[in-house]
Amino acid sequence: MPRTVRTNILITGASSGLGAGMAHEFAARGRNLALCARRLDRLETLREELTGTYPGVRVAIHSLDVTDHDAIFRTFRSFASGLGHIDRVIVNAGLGKGAPIGTGRFDANRETAETNFVAALAQCEAAMELFREQNAGHLVVISSIAGLRGGRRSAATYAATKAGLSTLAEGIRMDVADTPIRVTTIEPGYIRTDLNAGAGKLLFEVDAATGSRALARAVEREPASAYVPGWPWRVVAPLYRIAPAQVLRRFL
């Protein structure tokens, strides 16, 4: 059977990086967009770019701090009302900050945990409320290759949140397996964005444009889960899962 076309797509964390990149990719496919992030000025600029390049596309924007959980539910409902419905929600907003555990930076690790997991949980709740009412929709969570194993140093909390998010998505997917609702976990490899601008050379890294194209293609297929880019991560990720910790220490 032909795959459902998701006409109205909501993306969180859309003001920069992969969120903005995916917005460009889906606009090029003729999809209407509901974009939210903390930085409204960047969203306004992005909307001008998208509607200027793709005049047939509707682009709604809303300022949203995903740590304001009540605001997530209000914003998602507002987008659904304005566009008529939401077909796909991409839970993308996240943080990459952190510090080695026990080094006095609980504040940074807590902020990462609250943004990457608790706020993501709220986004999943808000999206699934809409989809359950519609009995249709596609929930996409942007996890990470980092969630496959524990992370070292500043990545310890980040990796844990992404592991939790992947597990959460799997549970939701099992809950709605007998419905028209689809749930996809995307596990990107190392894609160079503002999130990791200060990092050194990353393993198998790709630029943001390449990563965004690969993300959009993977999302459109609506698999249960996908590594992005597919090459080399479809081969590397299974090895990464089983590699001895002493080997991983050399690369992380």
Side-chain angles (χ1 to χ4, degrees), residues 124-167:
C124 291
E125 289 270 9
M128 290 302 296
E129 283 187 2
L130 295 175
F131 295 161
R132 286 179 184 274
E133 290 171 8
Q134 298 169 178
N135 195 34
H138 183 207
L139 175 65
V140 180
V141 300
I142 305 299
S143 184
S144 174
I145 288 290
L148 297 179
R149 298 290 296 270
R152 295 187 66 198
R153 298 184 288 267
S154 61
T157 300
Y158 178 82
T161 63
K162 292 302 186 178
L165 183 55
S166 294
T167 303

Side-chain angles (χ1 to χ4, degrees), residues 51-181:
T51 55
T53 306
Y54 310 103
V57 168
R58 296 174 63 189
V59 181
I61 62 173
H62 202 293
S63 176
L64 176 65
D65 180 345
V66 294
T67 62
D68 182 346
H69 305 145
D70 291 340
I72 292 172
F73 289 84
R74 292 194 301 270
T75 300
F76 283 27
R77 290 279 177 184
S78 177
F79 279 142
S81 176
L83 291 175
H85 62 278
I86 297 295
D87 299 305
R88 173 182 288 146
V89 173
I90 302 178
V91 178
N92 170 70
L95 281 180
K97 66 192 298 185
I101 304 299
T103 59
R105 289 304 313 278
F106 172 66
D107 59 322
N109 290 323
R110 181 184 62 193
E111 186 177 358
T112 295
E114 290 174 346
T115 302
N116 290 4
F117 186 75
V118 180
L121 170 61
Q123 292 166 71
C124 291
E125 289 270 9
M128 290 302 296
E129 283 187 2
L130 295 175
F131 295 161
R132 286 179 184 274
E133 290 171 8
Q134 298 169 178
N135 195 34
H138 183 207
L139 175 65
V140 180
V141 300
I142 305 299
S143 184
S144 174
I145 288 290
L148 297 179
R149 298 290 296 270
R152 295 187 66 198
R153 298 184 288 267
S154 61
T157 300
Y158 178 82
T161 63
K162 292 302 186 178
L165 183 55
S166 294
T167 303
L168 174 65
E170 184 177 22
I172 300 170
R173 185 160 49 248
M174 289 192 288
D175 270 349
V176 297
D178 296 327
T179 79
I181 301 169

Side-chain angles (χ1 to χ4, degrees), residues 12 31 33 42 56 90 92 98 117 140 149 200 208-209 214 238 248 251:
T12 67
R31 312 302 171 80
L33 298 168
R42 291 200 178 191
I90 302 178
N92 170 70
F117 186 75
V140 180
R149 298 290 296 270
L248 291 182
F251 301 99

